[in-house]
Amino acid sequence: YTILLAKHALPLLRHTAWILPEDRVQGFSLSGMLDAATLLPGTRDFGALGTPPQGDNTVRTVFRSEWSTVWLPEGMRLTYTIEADAFLYRMVRRTVGMLYDVGRGRMTLTHFESVLNSGEIATGVTIAPPQGLVLTRVTYPA
């Protein structure tokens, strides 16, 4: 998932990233987002982050959850990478939105963790728009 913290409008990138103008990220804490992302790996009920495409099993294993950053002339590009054995419907977009909420101080790390562990679909949280979402690889067991 890609977020651009931009100094100005970037119309050519609006379909491939969630573009946040500087005025929406005043007081933004990247370290909060980085810390919250480390809470995701492991096997657990991720029902707070989405609904299953089939059945009712919301237990998933997340292998990797991390942010990388690159400074560009346009601003800062944040790339969130998550690897899992399977995903729930809107799981990644809801995760990115909640991580963004932590970064902007709308949600504490403790609150993020309690929502994550609740197993109940998270309400009142930001859901990241679809523009920044990219599926890069699918692997199957041998």
Side-chain angles (χ1 to χ4, degrees):
Y1 196 95
T2 302
I3 298 175
L4 289 173
L5 305 179
K7 297 176 183 173
H8 49 78
L10 301 167
L12 297 178
L13 299 176
R14 72 180 188 274
H15 296 296
T16 59
W18 183 13
I19 300 174
L20 298 169
E22 280 187 337
D23 63 339
R24 283 194 52 198
V25 292
Q26 296 298 327
F28 189 75
S29 169
L30 180 57
S31 64
M33 289 175 62
L34 296 172
D35 291 343
T38 65
L39 299 174
L40 284 140
T43 301
R44 74 175 81 207
D45 181 353
F46 282 96
L49 300 178
T51 55
Q54 296 176 341
D56 58 0
N57 182 9
T58 55
V59 175
R60 301 292 189 261
T61 300
V62 171
F63 305 111
R64 182 175 164 205
S65 170
E66 62 190 26
W67 287 98
S68 61
T69 60
V70 174
W71 282 99
L72 304 169
E74 302 84 16
M76 183 169 54
R77 180 179 65 206
L78 303 166
T79 303
Y80 178 66
T81 303
I82 184 169
E83 292 179 16
D85 60 353
F87 293 99
L88 301 169
Y89 178 68
R90 288 207 174 151
M91 179 176 169
V92 175
R93 290 177 52 206
R94 194 176 303 269
T95 299
V96 170
M98 287 175 53
L99 293 171
Y100 171 69
D101 286 345
V102 171
R104 67 183 183 152
R106 186 171 175 228
M107 179 182 279
T108 65
L109 197 57
T110 304
H111 184 221
F112 176 86
E113 189 170 21
S114 69
V115 169
L116 181 63
N117 291 328
S118 73
E120 300 291 323
I121 196 76
T123 58
V125 298
T126 301
I127 299 175
Q131 290 87 342
L133 185 62
V134 176
L135 177 65
T136 58
R137 182 177 62 224
V138 176
T139 57
Y140 295 96

